[in-house]
Amino acid sequence: GDVAVLVPAAGLGLRLGPGGPKALRLLGGEPLLVHAVRRLALAPSVGCIVVAAPVDGVSSVQDLLAPVAPVLVVPGGATRQASVAFALAAVPAEFDIVLVHDAARALTPPELVEDVAAAVRGGHAAVIPVLPVVDTIKQVSDSGIVVATVDRSSLRAVQTPQGFRRSVLEKAHASATDEHTDDAGMAERIGETVHTVPGSEMALKITRPLDLEIAALLLRQ
Ligand code: CTP
Ligand code: MG
């Protein structure tokens, strides 16, 4: 495969409640990170996986993933953005396409990885998977008063993996001055056109306890 995937997995998982770093929390008896890496390794495009692990968990993550797939493991940072930057710095020179994929999106199918990789290979320098927004969205003031109803038809919920021409991701990270919740946001900031592809319900981000219940249900199907 000609694609490197960065897997930020160094978060605390505070919104999931007590129980340790989220990437190491169990789903169907296996850590979320194992589920995520196994599915990445099943995507034919993927030739390199770099995991940003909790700082005190680098060697245990190496041991955990050794039977799953060949991976490089680096210590993560204090923010997701820093974790991605550390992982990016460890990508071998031969990889010109780089995807960034949250460990928390543990059930993301290999097909979505292929779709994003193919779009970058096809000439799009920045690619994100998106889904339509199902709820009505309103803008609300600090005092709880509705300011406006946002036109939902043009809104999309954004997933990972997000894919980039390597030079674009490197420039985006090198230029970032403020904190971004996703990598495409940093590419937008430097003026890159970001292309969308259809996302997947299976790529849901496990954030709160209910998400873990939903993922367990999806895993059993
Ligand atoms: N992440 C990371 N390094 C950080 C923070 C987050 O590598 N310093 C990773 C998480 O491990 C996760 C992904 O970024 O795979 C998305 O972040 P999020 O869902 O917010 O996970 P957490 O930060 O772990 O959760 P929370 O915000 O609830 O603490
Ligand atoms: Mg977080």
Side-chain angles (χ1 to χ4, degrees):
D2 58 345
V3 172
V5 187
L6 316 180
V7 185
L12 299 175
L14 295 177
R15 287 170 291 177
L16 202 51
K22 182 160 70 181
L24 304 179
R25 298 279 288 266
L26 301 183
L27 168 63
E30 291 183 305
L32 296 183
L33 181 59
V34 168
H35 287 286
V37 167
R38 181 182 296 129
R39 286 162 179 77
L40 288 172
L42 283 170
S45 289
V46 175
C48 171
I49 298 172
V50 184
V51 175
V55 178
D56 59 358
V58 171
S59 68
S60 64
V61 165
Q62 273 164 345
D63 294 345
L64 183 69
L65 294 177
V68 180
V71 294
L72 299 169
V73 183
V74 300
T79 63
R80 181 188 183 280
Q81 191 167 317
S83 293
V84 171
F86 290 148
L88 180 57
V91 174
E94 68 257 36
F95 294 95
D96 189 42
I97 297 175
V98 180
L99 271 50
V100 185
H101 183 52
D102 293 330
R105 297 184 189 272
L107 299 182
T108 301
E111 292 76 16
L112 184 61
V113 179
E114 288 302 301
D115 289 349
V116 172
V120 179
R121 209 178 281 120
H124 298 290
V127 177
I128 60 173
V130 298
L131 288 178
V133 171
V134 292
D135 292 306
T136 295
I137 306 286
K138 292 190 194 284
Q139 187 187 345
V140 177
S141 75
D142 287 344
S143 56
I145 303 296
V146 171
V147 175
T149 300
V150 183
D151 176 17
R152 186 174 67 189
S153 65
S154 67
L155 297 179
R156 301 290 182 272
V158 177
Q159 303 182 320
T160 74
Q162 300 189 347
F164 305 89
R165 193 57 57 189
R166 183 196 188 127
S167 56
V168 167
L169 187 61
E170 286 177 341
K171 187 178 171 202
H173 272 267
S175 323
T177 49
D178 46 359
E179 199 59 38
H180 295 261
T181 54
D182 79 338
D183 299 279
M186 301 163 59
E188 289 159 44
R189 179 56 68 86
I190 60 168
E192 281 296 333
T193 298
V194 179
H195 179 78
T196 65
V197 298
S200 165
E201 301 277 7
M202 293 294 286
L204 83 158
K205 184 156 77 74
I206 298 167
T207 305
R208 290 160 299 214
L210 177 62
D211 302 320
L212 201 52
E213 303 286 339
I214 294 168
L217 199 72
L218 293 172
L219 187 64
R220 285 200 295 273
Q221 283 177 356

